[in-house]
Amino acid sequence: MSTPKQVIELAKKSGAKMVDVKFVDTFGTWQHFSVPAGELNQDVFKEGFGFDGSSIRGWKSIEASDMLAIPDPDTAFIDPFMAVPTLSLTCTIAETGTFEAYNRDPRGIAARAESYLKGTKLADTAYFGPEAEFFIFDSVQYDSRSNGSFYSVDSEEAVWNTGRDEMPNLGHKIRHKEGYLPVSPADTLQDLRTEMVLLMNELGVDVERQHHEVATAGQAEIDYRFDSLLRSADKMMLYKYIVKNVARRHGKTVTFMPKPLFADNGSGMHTHQSLWKGGRPLFAGKEYAGLSQLALHYVGGILKHARALCALCNPTTNSYKRLVPGYEAPVNLAYSARNRSAAVRIPTFSDSPKAKRIEYRPPDPSANPYIAFAALMMAGLDGVINKIDPGEPLDKNIYELPPEELKRVPKVPGSLDEALTCLEEDHDFLLKGDVFTADFIEMWVTQKRAQADAVRIRPHPYEFMMYYDA
């Protein structure tokens, strides 16, 4: 744990001339403003920095726009991407005057979720370990106008470039769905990913592994070590910042968009979770796959609320281009040991009680990590509190089940609009302990339904392929 005094000393020792004040908006984007280093003192860690919140998506209206950004000293680091030495601080948002946490601030939601967990006396820590996938492209172009739209992404690794004149073209392109773990020269991004990893480690994100992922065109995965709910979400924000900016250093671009390519795998964010109390893991036991009864009830809560969770864990229209059969996406709401075709998987790499966890596979990296992790924990806790039975495990390759058997397995929603309806009908579990508020849920549904409508009412390029000669 860092103190304000230690942060100030870090700034002085590093010769910081500026302080970058960062916070996360409703939908998971880091926002920032900067102040001269002379403005940094111990008081700002209590009183915060004032700013206008009316221009932040889904936040204040203009007549009540004054807000406070309260820095968390544990998030301090010297930003490696700034030309001038700059101290970075991540903040929680509070109301002016009362200093009350703002109910739409995602980081505040995550903090309230942790407080609620402790208040239940069931556990004191929820650990989260996300596995975020992303694409590293060489270029991206897109436009949308009233008379036309297009997108085009490119990568030197991509299978569609086997015939491109590269003076010379050396081949070794990665075919669709054959990008998992190839060595160079097919994998051209090893050094770039390593640079990302080393910088993450330097800034406190402890990486466990990095590798090329399944899709062609530079799909990648970097996994970091699990941490408590709030800290893991903080690390995911820093992770994205590092990945995007290291890529930019090298003239490349990164996207966490779940499905940027047709006919290949999308990017998920499989999320490992466990509950602990007094330093003791609570998910280890003698039930199915070495789980405890508490863990099975947690799974029961996740599966019961999974369709509503999609509105928060898969929050874009593009998310549902990934959640389709045939591309390793976990569309079937079942649980199983080792089985990657189930929505909930129980990893079996280790028999250690400390390693016992569940992995929820539907989320994708377009999610705001603070909101997604908090919602997942609230669903799991609802299962524990109400002793929700997850049913029988499904230890089969779900993708190969006969149609009559597959019909009996519940599915994730088929669209963002459907997921939002599920959230409207099932969100009481999120309101416990005032972790989420009815106001937040209403705002989220309104904002996200507008996004769904924006896509729904526009002609799609492929419609011209199918219907122009109608």
Side-chain angles (χ1 to χ4, degrees):
M1 298 288 287
S2 298
T3 65
K5 182 179 179 181
Q6 290 172 326
V7 173
I8 294 169
E9 289 174 354
L10 170 65
K12 290 179 179 178
K13 182 179 178 181
S14 303
K17 297 183 182 301
M18 297 295 291
V19 177
D20 202 47
V21 181
K22 294 184 175 72
F23 60 93
V24 64
D25 73 7
T26 307
F27 304 118
T29 301
W30 249 357
Q31 309 289 338
H32 78 134
F33 58 90
S34 298
V35 301
E39 297 294 309
L40 184 66
N41 55 59
Q42 295 197 46
D43 290 341
V44 301
F45 290 89
K46 294 181 179 179
E47 299 173 0
F49 295 98
F51 73 102
D52 174 7
S54 65
S55 295
I56 305 301
R57 298 178 296 175
W59 282 18
K60 293 281 191 174
S61 55
I62 197 165
E63 76 277 4
S65 59
D66 288 351
M67 308 190 79
L68 295 171
I70 311 294
D72 183 339
D74 282 337
T75 65
F77 66 92
I78 301 301
D79 195 312
F81 302 109
M82 301 293 184
V84 172
T86 300
L87 176 77
S88 175
L89 290 168
T90 300
C91 299
T92 301
I93 305 305
E95 302 279 7
T96 57
T98 64
F99 292 93
E100 290 182 2
Y102 180 45
N103 68 358
R104 292 187 181 182
D105 170 35
R107 199 167 189 271
I109 289 172
R112 289 195 297 278
E114 290 191 323
S115 296
Y116 173 72
L117 174 65
K118 292 176 182 177
T120 66
K121 308 297 184 183
L122 293 168
D124 53 37
T125 308
Y127 284 115
F128 281 78
E131 298 177 350
E133 298 165 343
F134 53 93
F135 281 86
I136 305 171
F137 292 131
D138 291 311
S139 68
V140 56
Q141 297 172 275
Y142 52 90
D143 198 3
S144 182
R145 303 180 303 276
S146 62
N147 67 325
S149 63
F150 82 97
Y151 72 89
S152 179
V153 297
D154 207 2
S155 163
E156 63 178 314
E157 291 186 354
V159 65
W160 57 79
N161 283 324
T162 54
R164 183 171 68 176
D165 186 1
E166 297 179 345
M167 297 181 292
N169 188 324
L170 300 178
H172 299 293
K173 310 302 184 185
I174 295 175
R175 289 179 287 272
H176 289 300
K177 297 190 178 186
E178 293 187 19
Y180 193 62
L181 310 186
V183 298
S184 60
D187 179 2
T188 66
L189 299 166
Q190 170 71 12
D191 290 338
L192 185 63
R193 295 193 306 268
T194 293
E195 184 177 333
M196 295 169 180
V197 167
L198 295 179
L199 193 49
M200 287 182 193
N201 284 340
E202 183 180 325
L203 298 183
V205 181
D206 298 325
V207 174
E208 294 184 329
R209 65 182 57 83
Q210 61 97 336
H211 58 84
H212 203 290
E213 255 299 337
V214 173
T216 189
Q219 191 181 34
E221 180 178 319
I222 299 175
D223 303 333
Y224 61 83
R225 184 172 174 78
F226 66 88
D227 207 334
S228 61
L229 189 157
L230 179 63
R231 294 303 173 206
S232 188
D234 282 342
K235 288 179 178 180
M236 178 51 66
M237 296 305 299
L238 180 54
Y239 172 112
K240 287 186 173 182
Y241 184 67
I242 290 170
V243 164
K244 289 179 178 180
N245 282 285
V246 168
R248 187 175 179 86
R249 273 181 179 174
H250 293 268
K252 296 182 183 292
T253 178
V254 160
T255 182
F256 288 91
M257 184 177 176
K259 188 75 169 183
L261 300 183
F262 173 65
D264 213 333
N265 285 24
S267 293
M269 187 176 70
H270 309 149
T271 304
H272 297 252
Q273 304 159 62
S274 64
L275 298 180
W276 291 52
K277 185 175 183 180
R280 182 173 65 88
L282 301 181
F283 274 17
K286 298 182 180 179
E287 304 298 325
Y288 173 78
L291 292 178
S292 64
Q293 190 63 59
L294 180 145
L296 285 175
H297 287 151
Y298 190 99
V299 171
I302 292 281
L303 292 176
K304 176 182 178 181
H305 300 296
R307 288 172 58 80
L309 287 171
C310 282
L312 302 172
C313 298
N314 306 87
T316 69
T317 59
N318 186 254
S319 298
Y320 300 87
K321 304 292 195 300
R322 166 183 170 258
L323 289 178
V324 295
Y327 296 94
E328 299 186 17
V331 298
N332 300 289
L333 298 175
Y335 75 102
S336 181
R338 298 183 293 181
N339 190 343
R340 284 176 165 79
S341 64
V344 176
R345 186 177 78 94
I346 298 93
T348 58
F349 295 120
S350 171
D351 292 329
S352 170
K354 293 182 178 180
K356 190 55 63 178
R357 62 197 187 274
I358 68 138
E359 175 192 359
Y360 187 57
R361 296 176 64 80
D364 67 58
S366 69
N368 184 327
Y370 299 98
I371 291 171
F373 298 168
L376 287 167
M377 190 201 74
M378 295 300 288
L381 280 180
D382 188 60
V384 174
I385 292 168
N386 294 296
K387 295 181 168 53
I388 297 174
D389 184 356
E392 293 298 316
L394 192 53
D395 291 325
K396 300 178 181 179
N397 185 338
I398 302 174
Y399 303 133
E400 296 180 0
L401 289 179
E404 62 275 10
E405 192 172 349
L406 188 60
K407 285 181 181 179
R408 297 195 292 269
V409 181
K411 305 289 190 296
V412 298
S415 68
L416 177 59
D417 202 58
E418 184 182 345
L420 292 169
T421 298
C422 293
L423 180 62
E424 287 178 311
E425 297 172 348
D426 177 24
H427 62 259
D428 286 350
F429 69 99
L430 297 170
L431 305 182
K432 294 178 180 177
D434 295 324
V435 174
F436 291 83
T437 62
D439 169 74
F440 178 90
I441 299 297
E442 182 181 356
M443 176 276 298
W444 184 272
V445 171
T446 299
Q447 295 272 343
K448 286 295 177 179
R449 211 174 292 278
Q451 293 178 17
D453 286 345
V455 173
R456 179 180 58 83
I457 65 175
R458 281 171 166 78
H460 189 286
Y462 200 68
E463 290 177 315
F464 283 80
M465 180 77 73
M466 294 189 292
Y467 308 130
Y468 187 76
D469 58 352

